């Protein structure tokens, strides 16, 4: 990674910070600063995706083009922030000038006893200080200091725990090289392929996921690759997505009526979830899609009590499109959110008509349509705008997939491997029970064995094979332990149980949790419930299924936060029984302490990036870190790459299978000046993209079985092979 490239990465960060200033709402909304962060993230994310699409179409995916694009974006963001600053200054000056006149008018027309109330700011209980809705002109340091001074000891512990975990994760993300298994196979090789091609057109490959899986997260990595020339900052994409998840989830808690403590509880539960902790230092994509879904959720909730403006509509469209272009399973959550938003907008459309008919039932204005009709038309138009913006973001990728495979969801093997192929109620029930078992797994082996046996026996009793390929991914066998803190499969029993309890109480007795927002709370809980139900009806069980559920967990945790806050306030449980309330509060504190321990253990000992022990980011060499998943392959890859480099080969053929590691070749076969090798596939699963002829390459590198490699080596070539890796050279090299 070059020093100049590291400096260039400041441009996207600075642009987003300026956009936070430019997009901060000027009207009364919940948590305006967090809303501005959500808006800025969506604008930046949409720009990043569309820039890749435009530059890819022009075959201009180069460091120079990316640099120019981000500098222009930074300039526009600076202009927008400056314009907003001047506008706010003018508005404040006008308000100060009008204040004396307004005070005189108020004093003359209002009762004396009410004058003080009109001119004074509203009083807010410290517990609800986080959800103040009027604009706050204090600087961020002053606001932070005010919140810290008024916070209780427990609230300070929650905030400190979240901040501490984020800081440790940032250190790990910066120190650790990318070593996620899927990233070695297809996430990162596709980034290198785009750099080599300068465009986004599909290529021959034996790993179909390099071209069929939505590439939204990899688009963000591509910008870092072009700006820095390496992968040293790749982990920061998921770390930033994790921060965005926390901010959006905390704002959702505020929108559901939760005060400051409820919002801190939400952030704490989510931040200490081992899956979140481990993915925040990874090059996986699940936190990225969860962040976009959370953005859609908080924007949709804004539309439950007020008509949605143009900016929010554009944000909802961007969030939907970014979700679709990152991981389509996230749309399972965005869909119900948009339905809830649309129903709320239709309900709000009735209010003007009711007000007008109540004011005058004698006058009928034939020149104007009824307000309800106008409201419905406006909602329909707003929905169309959301879909249009989403299509603009995800459309180019879907168009390429459709042209290549004749279907926007890719080839049949992709459409049939992950989605459920049976949808009868009993099959869905069995699938849901298996997913729940994996999500709530614990280190208690007897409990795991008993529950798994009960699910298997129950499935067989109702005539459903618990290993049916139509409801089970690939050749996997249920059950599979998932309690260990591994980024790809770790369970979330604590956060999941709290979210489940929060959802149950929100559906049954929302007024006990949030008296002022009972309707919103119940509606949002219904959306979360529908999302989980749709997920188990559409996605097959797999050992790595907890990753796919992460977006739903981020949606659900705010329910846990507001419910736990109600427990501490004694609003749920046995009202009038202080002893029982104390027991409930003690149990909640115990769960939170256990959650904190789980998060600390995950960041300290989690796999494959940890602070201490074998494989620590402080003591493990670069290549050993990259191969922590398969340490026995380290020497084999380096041995083969050294032989190929010494031969002087530049055009190198690849022989690999669908789940083999390709990314190490892109690193090990680079020139001394960092120029990537020309890697071409000798096999292809894309019908319209035939592989190259083996005789046209200078050397061949292989992973997997030796027999698969030998079949493609031209006669007379020398083949050298170890256990997993091999290479072949023509005579004379």
């Amino acid at each position: 990674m070059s020093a100049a490239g590291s400096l260039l990465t400041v441009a996207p960060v600075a642009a987003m910070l300026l956009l936070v200033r430019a997009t901060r709402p000027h009207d009364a909304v919940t948590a305006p600063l967090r809303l501005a962060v959500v808006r800025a993230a969506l604008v930046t994310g949409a720009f990043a995706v569309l820039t890749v699409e435009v530059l890819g179409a022009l075959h201009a995916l180069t460091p120079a083009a990316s640099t120019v694009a981000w500098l222009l974006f930074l300039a526009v963001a600076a202009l927008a922030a400056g314009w907003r600053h001047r506008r706010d200054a003018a508005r404040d000056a006008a308000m100060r000038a009008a204040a004396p006149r307004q005070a005189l008018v108020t004093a003359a027309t209002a009762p004396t006893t009410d004058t003080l109330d009109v001119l004074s700011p509203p009083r807010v209980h410290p517990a609800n200080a986080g959800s103040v809705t009027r604009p706050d002109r204090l600087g961020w340091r002053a606001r932070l200091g005010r919140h810290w001074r008024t916070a209780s000891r427990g609230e300070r512990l929650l905030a400190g725990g979240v901040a501490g975990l984020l800081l440790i994760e940032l250190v790990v993300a910066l120190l650790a090289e990318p070593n996620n298994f899927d990233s070695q196979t297809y996430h990162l090789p596709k980034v290198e392929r785009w750099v080599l091609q300068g465009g986004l057109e599909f290529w021959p490959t034996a790993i179909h996921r390099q071209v069929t899986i939505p590439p939204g997260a990899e688009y963000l990595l591509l910008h870092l690759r072009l700006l820095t020339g390496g992968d040293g900052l790749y982990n920061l994409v998921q770390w930033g997505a994790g921060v965005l998840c926390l901010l959006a989830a905390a704002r959702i808690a505020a929108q559901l009526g939760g005060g400051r403590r409820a919002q801190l509880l939400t952030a704490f539960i989510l931040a200490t979830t081992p899956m979140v902790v481990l993915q925040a230092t990874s090059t996986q994509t699940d936190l990225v899609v969860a962040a976009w879904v959370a953005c859609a959720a908080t924007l949709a909730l804004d539309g439950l009590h007020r008509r949605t403006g143009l900016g929010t509509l554009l944000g909802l469209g961007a969030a939907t499109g970014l979700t679709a272009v990152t991981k389509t399973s996230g749309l399972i959550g965005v869909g119900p959110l948009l339905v809830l938003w649309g129903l709320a907008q239709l309900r709000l459309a009735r209010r003007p008509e009711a007000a007008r008919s109540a004011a005058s039932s004698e006058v009928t204005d034939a020149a104007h349509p009824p307000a309800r009709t106008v409201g419905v038309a406006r909602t329909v138009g707003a929905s169309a705008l959301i879909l249009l913006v989403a299509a603009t973001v995800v459309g180019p990728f879907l168009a390429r997939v459709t042209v290549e495979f004749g279907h926007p969801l890719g080839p049949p093997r992709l459409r049939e491997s992950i989605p459920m192929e049976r949808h009868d109620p009993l099959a869905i029930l069995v699938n849901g029970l298996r997913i729940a078992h994996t999500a709530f797994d614990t280190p208690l082996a007897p409990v795991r064995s008993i529950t798994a046996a009960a699910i298997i026996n129950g499935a067989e009793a109702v005539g459903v094979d618990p290993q049916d390929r139509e409801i089970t991914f690939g050749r996997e066998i249920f059950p599979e332990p998932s309690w260990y803190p591994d980024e790809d499969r770790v369970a979330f029993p604590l956060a999941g149980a709290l979210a489940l309890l929060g959802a149950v109480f929100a559906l049954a007795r929302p007024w006990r949790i949030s008296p002022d927002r009972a309707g919103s709370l119940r509606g949002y809980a219904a959306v979360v419930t529908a999302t989980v139900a749709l997920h188990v009806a559409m996605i097959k069980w797999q050992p790595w299924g907890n990753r796919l559920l992460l977006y739903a967990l981020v949606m659900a945790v705010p329910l846990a936060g507001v419910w736990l806050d109600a427990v501490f306030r004694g609003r749920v449980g046995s009202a009038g029984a202080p002893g029982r309330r104390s027991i409930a509060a003690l149990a909640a504190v115990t769960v939170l302490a256990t959650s904190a321990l789980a998060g600390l253990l995950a960041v300290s000992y989690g796999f494959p990036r940890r602070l201490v022990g074998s494989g620590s980011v402080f003591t493990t060499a670069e290549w050993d870190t990259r191969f922590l998943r398969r340490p026995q392959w380290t020497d084999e890859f380096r041995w083969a790459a050294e032989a190929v480099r010494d031969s002087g080969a530049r055009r190198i053929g690849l022989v690999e299978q669908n789940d083999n590691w390709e990314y190490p070749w892109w690193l090990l076969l680079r020139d001394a000046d960092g120029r990537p090798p020309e890697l071409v596939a000798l096999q292809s699963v894309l019908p319209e993209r035939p592989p190259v002829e083996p005789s046209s390459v200078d050397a061949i590198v292989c992973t997997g079985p030796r027999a698969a490699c030998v079949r493609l080596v031209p006669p007379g070539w020398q083949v050298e092979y170890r256990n997993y890796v091999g290479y072949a050279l023509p005579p004379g090299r």
Side-chain angles (χ1 to χ4, degrees):
M1 183 173 64
S2 65
S6 299
L7 292 176
L8 287 174
T9 58
V10 175
V13 178
M16 183 172 169
L17 292 177
L18 289 169
L19 287 174
V20 170
R21 178 67 182 89
T23 61
R24 183 165 182 174
H26 54 75
D27 53 349
V29 295
T30 301
L33 181 57
R34 276 170 274 170
L35 176 58
V37 172
V38 167
R39 290 174 172 177
L42 291 172
V43 172
T44 305
F47 171 81
V49 169
L50 293 176
T51 298
V52 170
E53 292 290 356
V54 171
L55 295 180
L58 298 174
H59 284 271
L61 287 174
T62 63
S66 181
T67 299
V68 170
W70 280 110
L71 291 178
L72 288 175
F73 185 66
L74 176 61
V76 172
L79 290 174
W83 175 82
R84 177 62 186 272
H85 177 74
R86 291 190 297 271
R87 181 182 176 187
D88 287 348
R91 177 179 297 172
D92 290 344
M95 292 177 63
R96 287 194 297 269
R101 294 192 299 272
Q102 181 63 34
L104 292 175
V105 172
T106 303
T109 60
T112 305
T113 56
D114 292 342
T115 302
L116 185 61
D117 293 336
V118 171
L119 296 179
S120 300
R123 295 181 180 180
V124 180
H125 191 277
N128 295 321
S131 56
V132 175
T133 58
R134 65 181 298 163
D136 194 344
R137 298 301 183 191
L138 293 176
W140 67 270
R141 291 183 180 178
R143 290 196 302 274
L144 184 61
R146 182 185 62 189
H147 288 314
W148 187 258
R149 288 191 301 271
T150 59
S152 66
R153 182 179 300 176
E155 290 171 346
R156 292 180 181 182
L157 284 174
L158 293 172
V162 173
L165 270 177
L166 288 177
L167 181 60
I168 296 173
E169 291 163 8
L170 177 60
V171 171
V172 175
L174 289 171
L175 293 180
E177 287 76 21
N179 60 359
N180 172 263
F181 193 102
D182 285 347
S183 296
Q184 308 279 13
T185 300
Y186 68 96
H187 289 311
L188 303 187
K190 69 170 68 174
V191 174
E192 296 298 322
R193 182 67 62 178
W194 293 330
V195 173
L196 179 66
Q197 296 178 164
L200 300 174
E201 64 272 12
F202 291 162
W203 57 91
T205 178
I207 304 174
H208 76 88
R209 291 175 294 174
Q210 291 183 0
V211 296
T212 57
I213 299 293
E218 291 88 342
Y219 282 175
L220 305 181
L221 297 179
L222 174 61
H223 284 288
L224 290 177
R225 172 67 173 83
L226 292 173
L227 291 175
T228 67
D231 60 11
L233 300 180
Y234 278 7
N235 293 332
L236 293 185
V237 170
Q238 282 258 110
W239 183 84
V243 174
L244 183 57
C245 284
L246 296 182
L247 294 175
R251 184 171 189 264
I252 292 170
Q255 291 171 292
L256 299 177
R260 181 170 60 196
R261 183 171 58 188
Q263 298 167 51
L264 287 172
L265 285 168
T266 297
F268 184 82
I269 295 168
L270 191 58
T272 55
T273 300
M275 177 67 77
V276 175
V277 172
L278 293 170
Q279 289 234 2
T281 63
S282 170
T283 47
Q284 266 291 7
T285 63
D286 304 286
L287 267 181
V288 177
V289 70
W292 300 138
V293 173
C295 290
T298 191
L299 293 180
L301 285 176
D302 277 339
L304 298 191
H305 302 284
R306 59 193 299 170
R307 299 295 297 179
T308 300
L310 177 61
T312 301
L313 292 176
L314 295 176
L316 281 171
T320 303
L322 289 169
T323 299
V325 81
T326 303
K327 183 166 285 190
T328 52
S329 58
L331 294 176
I332 299 174
V334 173
L337 286 167
L338 292 180
V339 171
L340 177 67
W341 168 85
L343 293 175
Q345 293 293 293
L346 291 174
R347 177 180 57 83
L348 292 172
R350 300 176 182 176
R351 292 183 177 179
E353 183 182 47
R356 191 170 71 178
S357 61
S360 176
S361 58
E362 300 178 358
V363 179
T364 301
D365 189 357
H368 299 282
R372 180 177 181 180
T373 302
V374 174
V376 171
R378 179 179 175 181
T379 302
V380 172
S383 303
L385 178 61
I386 292 173
L387 295 178
L388 178 61
V389 174
T392 302
V393 175
V394 72
F397 169 71
L398 292 182
R400 288 194 299 275
V401 173
T402 303
V403 170
E404 189 73 27
F405 301 105
H407 195 286
L409 298 181
R413 65 183 301 176
L414 178 64
R415 303 197 303 270
E416 297 169 1
S417 60
I418 297 178
M420 287 275 285
E421 297 177 83
R422 288 182 58 178
H423 297 92
D424 53 287
L426 290 178
I428 293 174
L429 175 62
V430 171
N431 191 55
L433 291 173
R434 295 182 305 164
I435 289 175
H437 178 275
T438 304
F440 288 88
D441 192 17
T442 68
L444 303 175
V447 175
R448 181 189 315 120
S449 300
I450 292 172
T451 54
I455 292 172
I456 292 173
N457 294 334
E460 293 173 346
V462 297
V464 177
D465 179 3
Q467 316 299 346
D468 186 351
R469 296 303 101 188
E470 293 186 335
I471 61 173
T472 305
F473 177 81
R475 300 178 181 177
E476 305 303 323
I477 301 296
F478 173 84
E480 185 73 25
S482 60
W483 64 268
Y484 184 78
D486 183 302
E487 66 173 355
D488 284 337
R489 64 176 66 193
V490 62
F492 35 81
L494 293 176
L498 292 174
L500 178 61
L501 288 171
V504 169
F505 278 94
L507 289 172
R509 297 181 178 180
W511 58 89
R512 297 290 296 274
I513 300 176
S514 179
D516 297 334
R517 294 292 178 94
S520 299
L521 184 60
R522 175 174 279 173
Y524 186 74
V527 164
V528 172
T529 303
T531 296
V532 175
L534 288 171
H535 185 96
V536 302
M538 299 175 67
I539 305 296
K540 293 177 179 177
W541 175 87
Q542 55 180 282
W544 314 279
N546 291 339
R547 292 195 301 105
L548 304 183
L549 265 176
L550 188 55
Y551 76 94
L553 180 70
V554 173
M555 289 177 61
V557 164
L559 298 174
V562 295
W563 172 73
L564 269 181
D565 181 56
V567 169
F568 287 122
R569 289 184 285 116
R571 297 194 62 90
V572 295
S574 300
R580 294 186 180 181
R581 291 202 301 271
S582 299
I583 293 174
L586 179 60
V589 170
T590 303
V591 170
L592 290 175
T594 307
S595 181
L597 179 61
L600 184 60
L601 289 175
V603 76
S604 299
Y605 295 99
F607 193 74
R609 291 165 304 281
R610 57 178 52 162
L611 285 177
V612 297
S614 176
S616 167
V617 295
F618 295 114
T619 60
T620 308
E622 174 187 351
W623 284 102
D624 292 333
T625 300
R626 292 184 184 276
F627 282 88
L628 274 175
R629 283 286 186 189
R630 297 292 186 271
Q632 67 274 20
W633 294 348
T634 309
D635 292 337
E636 295 191 27
F637 267 98
R638 301 179 77 175
W639 159 75
E642 183 178 1
V644 172
R645 282 201 314 270
D646 290 345
S647 72
R650 286 303 307 163
R651 181 176 168 86
I652 303 166
L654 284 173
V655 178
E656 56 194 2
Q657 286 72 53
N658 185 57
D659 208 32
N660 288 177
W661 285 18
E662 180 182 314
Y663 186 58
W665 297 126
W666 290 97
L667 300 179
L668 292 168
L669 295 174
R670 285 182 180 178
D671 284 345
D673 60 0
R675 188 165 57 115
E678 183 184 357
L679 295 179
V680 294
L682 303 186
Q683 309 143 287
S684 179
V685 294
L686 277 65
E688 304 300 324
R689 308 281 174 175
V692 302
E693 289 295 328
S695 58
S696 68
V697 300
D698 303 326
I700 296 174
V701 291
C702 309
T703 51
R706 177 188 176 97
C709 180
V710 172
R711 284 199 301 267
L712 293 170
V713 173
W717 283 41
Q718 177 185 359
V719 179
E720 298 290 341
Y721 224 92
R722 292 191 176 178
N723 293 325
Y724 178 76
V725 177
Y727 68 90
L729 296 173
R733 281 192 179 266

